[in-house]
Amino acid sequence: MSEYRDSSSNNLLSLISGAFIGAAGLAWWLISEADKRKEEKKQKAMMYSSRIQDGSEAIDSNEKINEVEGENLEKKVEKLNSAIADVRKQLEELGQ
């Protein structure tokens, strides 16, 4: 009779530990999925904010049609080149 009780308590212990491990695994999975969604939202927000900062979201669609894309691209390249030159100049000053 004691062998029957020992196996019953072992089964109960196995059931409880299995439930605990399963719950821990489920919790870990849910947290990782929530982190992934949070990171995706953060990346989308950063992409959207960068488009707002450079003005591409603020330009009206009619203005986009009227602008010559080649000239707009050249202006952006010139701005980038001048910004790169400024950064190089600042780095050279810091190095001295």
Side-chain angles (χ1 to χ4, degrees):
M1 189 82 155
S2 66
E3 290 178 21
Y4 178 72
R5 288 184 184 174
D6 287 341
S7 68
S8 294
S9 63
N10 285 339
N11 286 341
L12 181 62
L13 182 62
S14 295
L15 179 67
I16 291 172
S17 62
F20 179 74
I21 291 171
L26 178 63
W28 175 80
W29 180 76
L30 288 172
I31 289 171
S32 68
E33 288 296 315
D35 285 343
K36 286 179 187 177
R37 279 188 242 119
K38 183 178 178 182
E39 189 65 29
E40 287 175 3
K41 285 182 182 179
K42 187 177 180 182
Q43 288 176 351
K44 286 180 182 178
M46 288 176 67
M47 288 174 54
Y48 181 73
S49 67
S50 68
R51 290 192 331 205
I52 289 175
Q53 288 175 353
D54 73 1
S56 62
E57 281 292 313
I59 297 175
D60 189 34
S61 61
N62 291 332
E63 291 176 332
K64 284 184 181 180
I65 294 171
N66 293 333
E67 282 184 344
V68 177
E69 289 183 17
E71 292 176 7
N72 191 22
L73 181 62
E74 289 176 10
K75 289 178 185 178
K76 285 185 178 182
V77 170
E78 288 176 12
K79 285 182 182 179
L80 284 172
N81 286 336
S82 67
I84 290 171
D86 291 341
V87 169
R88 282 184 183 161
K89 186 177 180 182
Q90 291 174 1
L91 287 173
E92 289 174 356
E93 291 174 359
L94 287 175
Q96 295 176 354

